Amino acid sequence: MSAPQTFIARAGGALDDSQLQSALAKARSGFVDKRATAIAAEPDFETMRDQAREVRQRSLANLATCLEQFEQQVNAAGGQVHWAESTDDLRRIVIDICEQAGAKTVTKGKSMVGEEAALNEALEQAGLTPWETDLGEYIIQLAHEPPSHIVAPALHKTRDQVAELFRDAHALGERDLGEVRALVDEARAVIRERFLSADVGITGANLLIAETGTAALVTNEGNGDLTARLPRTHIITTSFDRVVPTWEDASKIFRVLARSATGQPITAYTSFFSGPRAEGEQDGPESFHVVLLDNHRTEILDSEFREMLHCIRCGACMNHCPVYQSVGGHTYDSVYPGPMGAVLSPLLRGYAQDDELPNASSFCGRCEEVCPVRIPLPGLMRKLREREMVQEKPPWLTRRMLAAFGWLAQRPVLYRYLTGAGTRVLATLGRRRGALRSLPLASAWTAHRDLPAPQGASFQLRWARAQRKAEGERGDA
Amino acid sequence: MPSNSDTARGRILGRIRAATGEAASHNFAAVMSSCPSRERALAAIDDPVGEFRERALGNGIELFDLPALPGLCADLPTRLADAIKLARDGRLAHLDWSAFQLTEDTTDASCGVVLADGGIAETGTLLFTNRSVASGLLFLVDHLVAVLPLSRLVCRQEDLWKAGHCNASAVHLVSGPSRTADVEQTIQIGAHGPRRLLVYLLDDRAQPLEMDR
Ligand code: SF4
């Protein structure tokens, strides 16, 4: 079944999906409350945000120099850096490395770049078996679905749905999978064997450290480390904008990353990989590869959207977004959903239908408020909207309505009269219940909620009255 | 390596330079010297041991005090279930392990006993490098027991980088047992790695460990 073509149509489906709504309800309070608690406990948090932002700015301003240093250090450690201009290039490079290693099976840690390049499908087509090891990624791999969140890929699934997927895939018979504990244990047992037998491990990287040619990886499960260290070959798929100059800089990013993502001061595991196993070391892969993806990021770097490359993929913007909270990640039809995806997806892929993504926002501003590196997401969405208006003429009806509104807004007397009249009509219609159950031309909206009837006059009218009253009181004094 | 527009590398770096305006003479030493001075903007940590304790407990670590290293083997059985197969860090091999069932194979061990290479107070974190500990020992066991000599505890991450822990092919910061919240955002301990993390704080500040002398 293919998803409907427009955001609006997909959002309608998402709102009607009771399983999805129940999964979203759990995530909503979870992420938001945990972040709030973590930040309340950290008096220096605003300083930490400033430091993290400074690191991202400085990294991008010196990007080519940092990348050359990174490459040189990886080479010196006996590893190899590969450059991929497109997602096609990335898939080809990864498959070549796997083939040279004579690989059949591949364990995978979570990599958003891997998702962006649809790497699993490509590996399968090349005759390899990719095994996702992050629990969330494993769940959506079984469901043949894309991730719906950049930190919690299976956020849209309820535990019953996960239990059903495991029953189908693992031949479990009647075993009780009612508790989350049982589900996690089941996955642990199945995936453990895979860690031990895979030929190649593919992970992402949260950061690259230029100074020493190091890839840093943040996880809670420990799957990333087992994927990186046990197979003979370790491939890291990431994008070049992840680079920072030094280990000190990396520390400044980590301080805000987990607090913003899951409300932890630090994740259970933060690991740093610099090349294959060296002389005298206890274990590690024999070969070590880093694949750096561009896929239009150099264009973003050279545009008014450069700040989007500051993103450290914490997910806070989507956790706090009222649109994302209501419709979930799949409605965005991109591996990058929510406010960051509404900016990034149109810039990375430029599909015609992506133009509607920057419109999927009420501009409430919470995303910018919580973004640890202070990316002005609403501002960037506004710029994308402006660009869309110039490049792509909106439909005739939209243009006529906007023109009519523009005309009206320039005529204050008429505007006041008409909005006042509208308010009175709605107030009269909803007088008895204080709300309207249905509205002509807006039945899809009122099917799920009532429109509160306006209480009294418009803001402008009340403001004018208050001013007059205040003046009167001053006059009396 | 010269930039070359015939290769993906050359084209990508060329586009980046065009965007950032980095001069050809710009080198990494210049980037390093443009990093803000390393003095702290964050509040000082006055009591690193107290901070470590509080943070570690918050991360779900079980904490114990160890007056002297040999006491470890006497205390451990009281913390673990009987008949547990145990793999240990080579640096702890000189202790008396006669009461335990030992294995060299980390895939077979249900408990790993290791010595931490460092500790970080600000987040209740342990540091291991694979010069001293195999990754498998940290991640494949059900129970991980770590000894942290307090002489190796620092206030912030940066202090460990300064101490030169950045040059192993794998450096692991471990801040709690393995966990996941991927099913309905419910935190579940023991995803792929250890279900328990026990940390013994060894006060070696008056008497440094043999290997540290
Ligand atoms: S845009 Fe900001 S809040 Fe959103 S994922 Fe990126 S860093 Fe986090």
Side-chain angles (χ1 to χ4, degrees):
Chain A
M1 195 185 71
S2 71
Q5 282 303 300
T6 68
F7 185 92
I8 306 277
R10 288 190 299 269
L15 289 167
D16 284 341
D17 181 340
S18 57
Q19 300 247 41
L20 174 66
Q21 289 301 323
S22 113
L24 285 172
K26 290 199 172 108
R28 203 171 297 160
S29 50
F31 277 127
V32 172
D33 296 350
K34 282 182 205 147
R35 176 187 173 277
T37 310
I39 281 158
E42 186 44 76
D44 277 338
F45 190 65
E46 291 306 309
T47 311
M48 292 175 178
R49 285 176 80 184
D50 291 335
Q51 290 187 342
R53 181 175 168 78
E54 188 277 331
V55 169
R56 295 303 295 139
Q57 275 170 331
R58 180 159 39 81
S59 305
L60 293 184
N62 298 288
L63 189 53
T65 313
C66 287
L67 288 170
E68 282 177 339
Q69 167 77 13
F70 176 79
E71 184 181 40
Q72 198 190 325
Q73 291 296 312
V74 172
N75 290 340
Q80 213 180 328
V81 174
H82 309 259
W83 304 75
E85 291 191 278
S86 64
T87 50
D88 272 344
D89 290 352
L90 180 125
R91 288 190 291 266
R92 188 179 39 71
I93 291 166
V94 171
I95 289 168
D96 281 354
I97 299 170
C98 291
E99 281 173 356
Q100 272 165 30
K104 295 206 165 49
T105 53
V106 177
T107 40
K108 286 185 75 228
K110 194 163 85 67
S111 161
M112 286 313 297
V113 162
E115 290 289 350
E116 185 180 328
L119 190 54
N120 280 352
E121 288 81 342
L123 291 170
E124 278 168 16
Q125 275 165 25
L128 292 145
T129 308
W131 286 319
E132 291 291 352
T133 61
D134 172 84
L135 180 56
E137 289 284 342
Y138 179 61
I139 292 167
I140 61 168
Q141 186 184 27
L142 290 180
H144 302 286
E145 285 173 15
S148 69
H149 190 284
I150 60 172
V151 172
L155 179 115
H156 57 288
K157 291 277 184 229
T158 61
R159 80 173 75 169
D160 294 341
Q161 289 174 315
V162 176
E164 210 173 295
L165 285 167
F166 283 11
R167 265 183 218 298
D168 291 349
H170 298 178
L172 291 174
E174 287 309 299
R175 184 127 45 104
D176 181 20
L177 291 178
E179 293 301 314
V180 175
R181 168 84 270 156
L183 290 168
V184 173
D185 284 348
E186 173 59 26
R188 178 184 171 108
V190 169
I191 295 173
R192 159 109 359 171
E193 291 309 310
R194 300 179 173 179
F195 284 129
L196 300 175
S197 66
D199 302 311
V200 171
I202 302 179
T203 67
N206 293 82
L207 292 177
L208 303 172
I209 305 174
E211 195 178 14
T212 49
T214 300
L217 187 63
V218 167
T219 75
N220 267 317
E221 297 183 6
N223 65 309
D225 298 272
L226 291 165
T227 304
R229 301 312 289 178
L230 297 187
R232 285 193 315 275
T233 302
H234 179 198
I235 306 174
I236 293 163
T237 53
T238 187
S239 55
F240 60 70
D241 53 310
R242 300 292 99 206
V243 78
V244 298
T246 67
W247 285 65
E248 278 81 3
D249 292 326
S251 294
K252 289 175 182 166
I253 301 291
F254 295 140
R255 283 206 178 93
V256 296
L257 177 57
R259 288 188 169 94
S260 303
T262 52
Q264 295 167 273
I266 190 169
T267 47
Y269 303 112
T270 303
S271 299
F272 301 85
F273 305 120
S274 317
R277 174 184 191 170
E279 192 70 25
E281 289 184 338
Q282 302 284 327
D283 63 357
E286 289 158 22
S287 78
F288 179 85
H289 301 265
V290 184
V291 190
L292 300 176
L293 176 66
D294 181 346
N295 193 26
H296 301 289
R297 285 171 175 83
T298 44
E299 288 156 39
I300 301 175
L301 185 71
D302 200 20
S303 74
E304 55 189 334
F305 300 102
R306 180 189 288 196
E307 273 172 291
M308 198 56 234
L309 299 183
H310 289 177
C311 174
I312 59 170
R313 307 284 189 269
C314 72
C317 56
M318 56 199 76
N319 297 339
H320 290 77
C321 174
V323 177
Y324 180 95
Q325 286 175 349
S326 309
V327 300
H330 286 164
T331 302
Y332 293 79
D333 196 27
S334 161
V335 296
Y336 301 111
M340 60 81 77
V343 177
L344 199 55
S345 306
L347 297 172
L348 290 182
R349 4 177 253 196
Y351 292 172
Q353 70 268 27
D354 285 346
D355 284 344
E356 47 181 19
L357 294 180
N359 295 318
S361 163
S362 64
F363 278 179
C364 69
R366 288 187 80 195
C367 49
E368 182 174 1
E369 230 169 82
V370 297
C371 175
V373 288
R374 305 190 197 279
I375 299 173
L377 291 157
L380 296 181
M381 278 186 252
R382 198 172 291 119
K383 280 185 194 160
L384 278 169
R385 287 188 191 182
E386 282 162 14
R387 198 178 74 164
E388 180 204 340
M389 292 293 275
V390 175
Q391 282 175 358
E392 195 110 358
K393 282 246 154 46
W396 180 85
L397 185 63
T398 313
R399 269 182 289 147
R400 295 312 310 159
M401 284 169 70
L402 286 174
F405 179 79
W407 182 86
L408 184 61
Q410 284 168 25
R411 287 160 180 81
V413 177
L414 186 60
Y415 182 92
R416 270 201 298 278
Y417 175 75
L418 286 177
T419 50
T423 312
R424 280 192 298 279
V425 170
L426 285 178
T428 314
L429 284 174
R431 178 163 297 149
R432 235 167 293 141
R433 296 177 57 245
L436 296 150
R437 274 219 194 111
S438 66
L439 277 177
L441 306 178
S443 57
W445 199 86
T446 49
H448 294 280
R449 46 184 103 52
D450 295 343
L451 176 72
Q455 304 293 316
S458 71
F459 172 76
Q460 286 197 344
L461 248 166
R462 294 173 66 162
W463 178 256
R465 264 185 224 150
Q467 289 295 96
R468 274 201 301 278
K469 193 167 163 235
E471 264 162 40
E473 276 164 10
R474 269 200 296 278
D476 294 343
Chain B
M1 240 185 284
S3 282
N4 182 341
S5 63
D6 293 343
T7 63
R9 175 186 187 278
R11 285 189 296 272
I12 291 174
L13 285 172
R15 287 197 292 271
I16 293 175
R17 281 190 199 287
T20 60
E22 283 161 271
S25 61
H26 198 46
N27 56 29
F28 194 67
V31 175
M32 291 288 281
S33 62
S34 76
C35 294
S37 70
R38 296 185 180 186
E39 109 267 349
R40 284 271 147 64
L42 305 177
I45 296 172
D46 299 325
D47 171 17
V49 179
E51 183 81 11
F52 181 91
R53 282 182 197 277
E54 195 186 320
R55 297 287 186 167
L57 290 171
N59 298 343
I61 293 175
E62 299 166 52
L63 279 182
F64 309 100
D65 290 304
L66 190 61
L69 194 53
L72 178 67
C73 294
D75 191 70
L76 256 184
T78 66
R79 314 291 175 192
L80 299 169
D82 292 342
I84 216 164
K85 259 198 201 162
L86 190 142
R88 54 177 169 44
D89 189 331
R91 294 170 297 175
L92 298 173
H94 63 282
L95 301 178
D96 175 13
W97 295 99
S98 54
F100 298 89
Q101 207 188 332
L102 295 179
T103 171
E104 293 292 315
D105 177 7
T106 51
T107 63
D108 185 38
S110 51
C111 177
V113 187
V114 293
L115 187 65
D117 294 306
I120 305 168
E122 78 169 304
T123 47
T125 297
L126 304 173
L127 175 136
F128 301 92
T129 76
N130 74 327
R131 264 176 282 144
S132 29
V133 181
S135 308
L137 188 50
L138 298 175
F139 291 94
L140 284 172
V141 293
D142 267 357
H143 311 271
L144 183 65
V145 178
V147 176
L148 173 63
L150 286 179
S151 62
R152 300 180 185 181
L153 179 67
V154 299
C155 290
R156 296 200 180 267
Q157 269 184 36
E158 285 88 335
D159 303 324
L160 281 179
W161 311 153
K162 273 184 241 164
H165 284 293
C166 329
N167 50 6
S169 77
V171 176
H172 303 282
L173 298 183
V174 177
S175 307
S178 154
R179 57 189 244 168
T180 182
D182 273 344
V183 182
E184 292 190 344
Q185 308 318 108
T186 310
I187 293 174
Q188 215 35 254
I189 300 300
H192 297 296
R195 301 170 198 270
R196 284 176 76 194
L197 175 55
L198 296 78
V199 174
Y200 283 90
L201 296 177
L202 173 68
D203 199 344
D204 65 331
R205 286 170 297 187
Q207 219 182 7
L209 286 182
E210 194 73 32
M211 59 206 85
D212 284 358
R213 272 184 205 149

